[in-house]
Amino acid sequence: MVAVLEIEGLRKTYRSRRHGVRQALDGFDMLVEAGQVHGFLGPNGSGKTTTLRTLLGLIRPNGGRMRILGHEVPAGLPAVAGQIGAIVESPQFFPFFSAGDTLSLLADAGGVPRTRVTEVLELVGLRDRAGERVKTYSLGMKQRLAVASALLKNPKLLILDEPANGLDPGGIREMRSLMSDLSRSGMTVVLSSHILGEVQQICDSVTIISRGRRVAAGPVAEVLAQHSATEIRVRLE
Ligand code: ATP
Protein backbone atom coordinates (compact mmCIF):
# COMPACT_ATOMS: atom_id res chain seq x y z
CA MET A 1 0.00 0.00 0.00
CA VAL A 2 1.29 3.44 -0.92
CA ALA A 3 -0.18 6.24 1.18
CA VAL A 4 -0.64 9.43 -0.77
CA LEU A 5 -2.24 11.26 2.11
CA GLU A 6 -1.76 10.66 5.83
CA ILE A 7 -3.33 12.76 8.56
CA GLU A 8 -2.90 11.98 12.26
CA GLY A 9 -4.53 13.72 15.19
CA LEU A 10 -5.22 16.96 13.31
CA ARG A 11 -6.55 19.75 15.53
CA LYS A 12 -7.79 23.19 14.61
CA THR A 13 -9.48 25.71 16.87
CA TYR A 14 -10.94 28.92 15.48
CA ARG A 15 -11.18 31.87 17.82
CA SER A 16 -13.29 34.87 16.96
CA ARG A 17 -14.76 37.69 19.00
CA ARG A 18 -18.19 36.97 17.59
CA HIS A 19 -18.35 33.18 18.00
CA GLY A 20 -15.75 32.59 20.70
CA VAL A 21 -13.76 29.35 20.50
CA ARG A 22 -14.79 26.72 17.97
CA GLN A 23 -13.08 23.31 17.76
CA ALA A 24 -13.28 22.57 14.00
CA LEU A 25 -10.93 19.55 14.05
CA ASP A 26 -10.55 17.44 17.16
CA GLY A 27 -7.86 14.82 16.57
CA PHE A 28 -8.86 13.96 13.02
CA ASP A 29 -7.21 11.01 11.18
CA MET A 30 -7.32 10.13 7.48
CA LEU A 31 -5.42 7.77 5.19
CA VAL A 32 -5.73 7.73 1.39
CA GLU A 33 -4.03 5.11 -0.75
CA ALA A 34 -2.62 5.72 -4.22
CA GLY A 35 -4.98 5.35 -7.17
CA GLN A 36 -8.17 5.71 -5.12
CA VAL A 37 -11.10 8.00 -5.64
CA HIS A 38 -11.57 8.78 -1.96
CA GLY A 39 -14.72 10.41 -0.63
CA PHE A 40 -14.46 12.79 2.30
CA LEU A 41 -17.96 12.69 3.66
CA GLY A 42 -19.46 14.79 6.44
CA PRO A 43 -22.29 17.19 7.19
CA ASN A 44 -21.99 20.95 6.77
CA GLY A 45 -19.67 22.35 9.39
CA SER A 46 -18.00 19.02 10.24
CA GLY A 47 -14.51 20.22 9.26
CA LYS A 48 -13.99 19.12 5.63
CA THR A 49 -12.98 22.48 4.19
CA THR A 50 -10.77 23.18 7.20
CA THR A 51 -9.00 19.85 6.64
CA LEU A 52 -8.49 20.44 2.92
CA ARG A 53 -7.27 24.01 3.41
CA THR A 54 -4.91 22.88 6.17
CA LEU A 55 -3.52 20.18 3.89
CA LEU A 56 -2.74 22.82 1.28
CA GLY A 57 -0.93 24.98 3.83
CA LEU A 58 -3.63 27.67 3.74
CA ILE A 59 -4.57 27.26 7.41
CA ARG A 60 -2.20 26.63 10.31
CA PRO A 61 -3.39 23.74 12.51
CA ASN A 62 -3.07 23.67 16.30
CA GLY A 63 -1.71 20.14 16.33
CA GLY A 64 -1.32 16.83 14.50
CA ARG A 65 0.72 15.55 11.56
CA MET A 66 0.08 15.51 7.83
CA ARG A 67 2.02 13.99 4.94
CA ILE A 68 1.25 14.37 1.25
CA LEU A 69 3.08 12.12 -1.22
CA GLY A 70 5.51 11.31 1.59
CA HIS A 71 6.28 14.95 2.45
CA GLU A 72 5.43 16.65 5.73
CA VAL A 73 2.91 19.48 5.54
CA PRO A 74 3.60 22.36 5.58
CA ALA A 75 7.43 22.14 5.51
CA GLY A 76 7.60 19.70 2.58
CA LEU A 77 4.78 21.26 0.53
CA PRO A 78 7.00 23.27 -1.85
CA ALA A 79 8.63 20.00 -2.97
CA VAL A 80 5.28 18.50 -4.03
CA ALA A 81 3.24 21.61 -4.88
CA GLY A 82 3.44 20.86 -8.61
CA GLN A 83 2.06 17.37 -8.03
CA ILE A 84 -1.11 18.56 -6.30
CA GLY A 85 -4.12 19.92 -8.15
CA ALA A 86 -6.74 21.47 -5.91
CA ILE A 87 -10.02 23.32 -5.95
CA VAL A 88 -11.09 24.30 -2.46
CA GLU A 89 -13.23 27.29 -3.35
CA SER A 90 -15.72 27.62 -6.19
CA PRO A 91 -13.56 28.98 -8.95
CA GLN A 92 -14.79 32.13 -10.67
CA PHE A 93 -14.38 32.05 -14.43
CA PHE A 94 -14.82 35.04 -16.73
CA PRO A 95 -18.28 34.40 -18.21
CA PHE A 96 -17.43 35.96 -21.57
CA PHE A 97 -14.28 33.86 -22.11
CA SER A 98 -14.45 30.47 -23.74
CA ALA A 99 -13.28 27.41 -21.80
CA GLY A 100 -10.34 27.09 -24.20
CA ASP A 101 -9.25 30.71 -23.64
CA THR A 102 -9.71 30.35 -19.88
CA LEU A 103 -7.47 27.29 -19.74
CA SER A 104 -4.91 28.81 -22.12
CA LEU A 105 -4.58 31.84 -19.84
CA LEU A 106 -4.12 29.59 -16.81
CA ALA A 107 -1.63 27.43 -18.71
CA ASP A 108 0.44 30.48 -19.74
CA ALA A 109 0.38 31.83 -16.18
CA GLY A 110 1.52 28.46 -14.80
CA GLY A 111 4.19 27.77 -17.43
CA VAL A 112 2.20 24.83 -18.82
CA PRO A 113 2.49 24.12 -22.58
CA ARG A 114 -0.65 24.96 -24.59
CA THR A 115 -0.81 21.37 -25.89
CA ARG A 116 -1.86 20.34 -22.37
CA VAL A 117 -4.99 22.51 -22.71
CA THR A 118 -6.29 20.30 -25.52
CA GLU A 119 -5.46 17.20 -23.46
CA VAL A 120 -7.36 18.34 -20.36
CA LEU A 121 -10.35 19.51 -22.42
CA GLU A 122 -10.49 16.01 -23.90
CA LEU A 123 -10.11 14.40 -20.46
CA VAL A 124 -13.05 16.29 -18.97
CA GLY A 125 -15.19 15.88 -22.08
CA LEU A 126 -15.37 19.58 -23.02
CA ARG A 127 -13.32 19.53 -26.22
CA ASP A 128 -16.34 19.89 -28.51
CA ARG A 129 -17.60 22.94 -26.63
CA ALA A 130 -14.24 24.50 -25.79
CA GLY A 131 -14.91 27.49 -28.07
CA GLU A 132 -18.15 28.47 -26.32
CA ARG A 133 -18.37 31.17 -23.69
CA VAL A 134 -18.39 29.85 -20.11
CA LYS A 135 -21.66 31.73 -19.47
CA THR A 136 -23.44 29.27 -21.78
CA TYR A 137 -22.19 26.28 -19.74
CA SER A 138 -24.32 24.17 -17.41
CA LEU A 139 -23.27 23.81 -13.77
CA GLY A 140 -21.83 20.35 -14.53
CA MET A 141 -19.76 21.76 -17.39
CA LYS A 142 -18.46 24.55 -15.13
CA GLN A 143 -17.51 21.94 -12.52
CA ARG A 144 -15.67 19.96 -15.20
CA LEU A 145 -13.92 23.12 -16.37
CA ALA A 146 -12.80 23.65 -12.76
CA VAL A 147 -11.45 20.08 -12.68
CA ALA A 148 -9.72 20.75 -16.02
CA SER A 149 -7.96 23.78 -14.55
CA ALA A 150 -6.71 21.65 -11.63
CA LEU A 151 -5.46 19.01 -14.09
CA LEU A 152 -3.31 21.38 -16.15
CA LYS A 153 -0.12 20.47 -14.28
CA ASN A 154 -0.90 16.74 -14.53
CA PRO A 155 -0.98 16.29 -10.75
CA LYS A 156 -0.57 12.99 -8.90
CA LEU A 157 -3.12 14.06 -6.31
CA LEU A 158 -6.32 15.94 -7.05
CA ILE A 159 -8.19 17.55 -4.13
CA LEU A 160 -11.72 18.76 -4.82
CA ASP A 161 -14.08 20.41 -2.32
CA GLU A 162 -17.68 19.44 -3.15
CA PRO A 163 -17.23 19.00 -6.93
CA ALA A 164 -20.64 17.35 -7.30
CA ASN A 165 -22.51 20.02 -5.33
CA GLY A 166 -25.73 20.96 -7.10
CA LEU A 167 -25.32 18.48 -9.96
CA ASP A 168 -28.32 16.56 -11.26
CA PRO A 169 -28.11 12.74 -11.69
CA GLY A 170 -26.70 13.15 -15.23
CA GLY A 171 -24.01 15.52 -13.96
CA ILE A 172 -23.12 13.07 -11.18
CA ARG A 173 -22.77 10.24 -13.72
CA GLU A 174 -20.43 12.41 -15.80
CA MET A 175 -18.41 13.29 -12.71
CA ARG A 176 -18.18 9.59 -11.80
CA SER A 177 -16.90 8.61 -15.21
CA LEU A 178 -14.39 11.49 -15.17
CA MET A 179 -13.13 10.47 -11.71
CA SER A 180 -12.77 6.80 -12.67
CA ASP A 181 -10.89 7.78 -15.86
CA LEU A 182 -8.52 9.85 -13.74
CA SER A 183 -7.92 7.08 -11.21
CA ARG A 184 -7.33 4.59 -14.05
CA SER A 185 -4.64 6.93 -15.33
CA GLY A 186 -2.94 6.54 -11.92
CA MET A 187 -4.17 9.73 -10.26
CA THR A 188 -5.40 9.78 -6.67
CA VAL A 189 -8.52 11.86 -6.06
CA VAL A 190 -9.89 13.16 -2.75
CA LEU A 191 -13.30 14.76 -3.01
CA SER A 192 -15.50 16.11 -0.27
CA SER A 193 -19.25 15.81 -0.12
CA HIS A 194 -22.08 15.96 2.38
CA ILE A 195 -24.25 13.51 0.41
CA LEU A 196 -23.85 9.76 0.91
CA GLY A 197 -25.39 8.93 -2.50
CA GLU A 198 -22.76 11.01 -4.30
CA VAL A 199 -19.92 9.23 -2.53
CA GLN A 200 -21.54 5.84 -3.14
CA GLN A 201 -21.73 6.58 -6.84
CA ILE A 202 -18.38 8.27 -7.38
CA CYS A 203 -15.86 6.90 -4.84
CA ASP A 204 -13.96 3.64 -4.08
CA SER A 205 -13.18 4.46 -0.46
CA VAL A 206 -14.41 6.94 2.09
CA THR A 207 -13.58 8.73 5.33
CA ILE A 208 -16.56 9.97 7.29
CA ILE A 209 -16.05 13.03 9.49
CA SER A 210 -18.42 14.30 12.15
CA ARG A 211 -17.70 17.18 14.54
CA GLY A 212 -14.05 17.24 13.57
CA ARG A 213 -13.39 13.53 14.18
CA ARG A 214 -13.22 10.44 11.95
CA VAL A 215 -16.19 8.21 12.62
CA ALA A 216 -15.67 5.58 9.89
CA ALA A 217 -13.25 4.85 7.04
CA GLY A 218 -12.54 2.17 4.43
CA PRO A 219 -13.81 0.90 1.08
CA VAL A 220 -17.30 2.35 0.48
CA ALA A 221 -18.96 -1.10 0.37
CA GLU A 222 -17.23 -2.16 3.63
CA VAL A 223 -18.17 1.02 5.47
CA LEU A 224 -21.76 0.60 4.31
CA ALA A 225 -21.75 -3.04 5.45
CA GLN A 226 -20.55 -2.03 8.93
CA HIS A 227 -22.71 1.06 9.33
CA SER A 228 -26.15 1.09 7.75
CA ALA A 229 -26.94 3.82 5.24
CA THR A 230 -29.55 5.09 7.72
CA GLU A 231 -26.97 5.35 10.50
CA ILE A 232 -24.63 7.25 8.19
CA ARG A 233 -27.41 9.56 7.01
CA VAL A 234 -28.23 10.37 10.65
CA ARG A 235 -24.56 11.32 11.12
CA LEU A 236 -24.81 13.55 8.07
CA GLU A 237 -27.76 15.54 9.39
P1 ATP B 1 -19.35 22.92 4.70
O1 ATP B 1 -19.72 21.67 3.97
O2 ATP B 1 -20.54 23.70 5.22
O3 ATP B 1 -18.34 23.80 4.00
P2 ATP B 1 -17.24 21.78 6.31
O4 ATP B 1 -17.40 20.35 6.71
O5 ATP B 1 -16.35 22.09 5.18
O6 ATP B 1 -18.64 22.43 6.09
P3 ATP B 1 -15.70 23.70 7.82
O7 ATP B 1 -15.98 24.81 6.85
O8 ATP B 1 -14.35 23.14 7.87
O9 ATP B 1 -16.74 22.52 7.64
O10 ATP B 1 -16.11 24.26 9.27
C1 ATP B 1 -15.87 23.50 10.47
C2 ATP B 1 -16.28 24.36 11.68
O11 ATP B 1 -15.38 25.47 11.80
C3 ATP B 1 -17.68 24.98 11.55
O12 ATP B 1 -18.25 25.02 12.84
C4 ATP B 1 -17.40 26.38 11.05
O13 ATP B 1 -18.42 27.27 11.44
C5 ATP B 1 -16.08 26.71 11.72
N1 ATP B 1 -15.26 27.65 10.93
C6 ATP B 1 -14.79 27.46 9.69
N2 ATP B 1 -14.05 28.52 9.27
C7 ATP B 1 -14.05 29.40 10.32
C8 ATP B 1 -13.45 30.68 10.54
N3 ATP B 1 -12.69 31.27 9.62
N4 ATP B 1 -13.67 31.28 11.74
C9 ATP B 1 -14.42 30.69 12.71
N5 ATP B 1 -15.01 29.48 12.56
C10 ATP B 1 -14.83 28.84 11.40
Side-chain angles (χ1 to χ4, degrees):
M1 178 204 87
V2 182
V4 166
L5 193 62
E6 297 163 270
I7 300 179
E8 278 170 32
L10 192 63
R11 287 187 296 110
K12 174 66 190 174
T13 308
Y14 291 108
R15 289 165 207 279
S16 69
R17 244 184 237 145
R18 196 145 166 231
H19 303 291
V21 176
R22 197 172 264 156
Q23 183 87 30
L25 295 173
D26 184 16
F28 178 66
D29 301 315
M30 185 168 179
L31 183 68
V32 179
E33 292 171 28
Q36 296 269 303
V37 178
H38 191 91
F40 185 19
L41 181 65
N44 290 327
S46 55
K48 304 180 298 294
T49 304
T50 300
T51 303
L52 299 182
R53 290 178 61 83
T54 308
L55 269 173
L56 298 168
L58 302 171
I59 292 178
R60 193 194 293 261
N62 299 100
R65 288 189 65 196
M66 292 169 288
R67 290 167 76 86
I68 292 188
L69 298 160
H71 292 252
E72 291 286 336
V73 174
L77 267 182
V80 285
Q83 296 169 51
I84 305 168
I87 304 170
V88 289
E89 254 141 40
S90 341
Q92 299 293 320
F93 297 116
F94 293 118
F96 296 102
F97 278 26
S98 70
D101 290 343
T102 303
L103 292 174
S104 298
L105 273 176
L106 292 171
D108 292 352
V112 173
R114 287 270 181 109
T115 47
R116 179 71 185 152
V117 171
T118 319
E119 281 172 22
V120 296
L121 282 166
E122 182 77 49
L123 265 173
V124 303
L126 286 178
R127 197 166 170 186
D128 292 349
R129 302 203 38 193
E132 283 180 37
R133 289 173 175 191
V134 173
K135 80 183 198 89
T136 67
Y137 276 20
S138 67
L139 178 64
M141 291 166 76
K142 285 183 191 148
Q143 307 274 55
R144 281 185 282 143
L145 177 58
V147 175
S149 67
L151 289 175
L152 279 172
K153 288 190 177 167
N154 197 14
K156 286 192 178 144
L157 171 64
L158 186 63
I159 296 176
L160 306 169
D161 199 5
E162 309 250 5
N165 207 3
L167 295 186
D168 59 18
I172 292 189
R173 271 196 301 278
E174 284 172 4
M175 191 57 77
R176 173 177 57 192
S177 98
L178 171 56
M179 295 300 137
S180 54
D181 286 352
L182 294 177
S183 82
R184 261 198 300 276
S185 76
M187 203 173 286
T188 307
V189 184
V190 175
L191 66 90
S192 76
S193 171
H194 58 273
I195 300 170
L196 174 62
E198 267 175 29
V199 168
Q200 267 179 296
Q201 288 189 60
I202 301 173
C203 304
D204 312 310
S205 54
V206 63
T207 296
I208 304 182
I209 184 173
S210 173
R211 296 168 194 260
R213 297 183 73 91
R214 179 171 76 184
V215 292
V220 174
E222 243 171 60
V223 168
L224 275 165
Q226 283 162 8
H227 308 261
S228 72
T230 317
E231 186 193 329
I232 294 171
R233 284 201 180 93
V234 168
R235 292 266 196 186
L236 296 177
E237 274 161 13

